[in-house]
Amino acid sequence: MQPEELRNINSPDTETLWALVHPHTGDQYDVRPTGRGNGSDVTALVECDNGPVFVKACRNRPGGRRASLIRERLVNPSVRAVSPALRWQEEDDTWMALGFEVVEGRSADFAPGSPDLFAVVDIVGRLGELPLPDAAQTWQENRWDRFSDEGNARLFEGETLLFTDINPDNLVIGNERAWAVDWAWPTRGAAFIDPACLVVQLVAAGHSAESAESWAVGCTAWTEADPRSVDAFAAATLRMNCAFAERAPDTPWLSAMAAAAQAWAAHRGVVRT
């Protein structure tokens, strides 16, 4: 019989999940749900016989969550320089689960004046240096394409492994190092995209667009980018975030991201059309 919290975490029938991963964990003593990995059905820090492990799991059925976990599994060997290592994987007809090493840290502070900013810029810069795994050759980035002006989507193409989900919760600051966690949808594209995503997040955290871009200068991919490509991306980012905010007007964080994208686009002299 599993502890009560195991049976109740996120779903009434997760007992089968904990039985599935038991060969990897041994007996499970404590399971704490986490806010990370929102694209999964279960995310939890598990204390167990074989040491602590961070578990991400989803229903093993076709769809975005399963596809996301498969990408995260495939990309992990290439991103361990900046991310927790995948220790094991398991699946049956009902569940697919990944078990990651546990890292000690907290969400990054993106606010102006934060001492975390140097570590944040460093890890975003290092993202651009990661090897592109063979599996990612077919993961062409296209989420901004439909929001771009005709012909500009080609400016977002490239051969760099992209994280794209840059936000304070996904950059974890420890005592001696930092990590990028939750590789929910890695893609292949232009190297400047990750630093550009950081710029929008910094603006949302209270930076001026000029200040945010001054931090991005710490990333080689940003300094080497064609300004016209960055302008095109800023315009597409504005349209994307405005579309999401208009679809869900009662979701404050979407409105905040739209406002940040507006400020950045205005700084770069591009407007929403």
Side-chain angles (χ1 to χ4, degrees), residues 177-188:
R177 60 167 296 183
W179 297 269
V181 301
D182 195 13
W183 286 77
W185 203 252
T187 55
R188 173 177 64 86

Side-chain angles (χ1 to χ4, degrees), residues 11-122:
S11 169
D13 59 345
T14 53
E15 191 165 324
T16 57
L17 166 64
W18 304 114
L20 173 68
V21 303
H22 186 271
H24 301 285
T25 65
D27 286 346
Q28 302 137 1
Y29 307 120
D30 183 45
V31 172
R32 282 169 280 164
T34 74
R36 300 191 193 283
N38 292 328
S40 302
D41 293 313
V42 172
T43 59
L45 178 63
V46 180
E47 299 289 348
C48 52
D49 278 345
N50 296 336
V53 62
F54 178 69
V55 175
K56 294 182 69 172
C58 72
R59 304 289 179 179
N60 197 358
R61 56 195 179 206
R65 291 187 173 185
R66 182 180 187 278
S68 176
L69 239 59
I70 290 173
R71 285 201 184 199
E72 189 157 10
R73 171 175 60 83
L74 291 173
V75 81
N76 186 262
S78 298
V79 304
R80 291 182 181 182
V82 296
S83 302
L86 178 64
R87 292 171 51 187
W88 49 259
Q89 55 187 301
E90 193 60 77
E91 66 178 295
D92 62 11
D93 291 341
T94 303
W95 289 100
M96 174 180 290
L98 304 179
F100 293 90
E101 71 170 317
V102 174
V103 298
E104 296 293 333
R106 56 174 174 76
S107 298
D109 181 357
F110 282 16
S114 167
D116 294 350
L117 292 173
F118 295 97
V120 166
V121 171
D122 176 69

Side-chain angles (χ1 to χ4, degrees), residues 209 213 222 226-232 234 262-270:
E213 288 195 349
W222 176 267
D226 183 340
R228 294 172 299 176
S229 297
V230 178
D231 288 346
Q262 175 67 66
W264 184 41
H267 171 71
R268 297 202 64 89
V270 298

Side-chain angles (χ1 to χ4, degrees), residues 150-191:
E150 185 176 356
N152 280 350
R154 62 181 178 77
L155 301 175
F156 310 151
E157 297 173 358
E159 298 301 319
T160 297
L161 179 65
L162 299 177
F163 181 54
T164 68
D165 199 7
I166 293 172
N167 64 69
D169 285 339
N170 283 349
L171 298 187
V172 175
I173 307 297
N175 289 333
E176 297 182 356
R177 60 167 296 183
W179 297 269
V181 301
D182 195 13
W183 286 77
W185 203 252
T187 55
R188 173 177 64 86

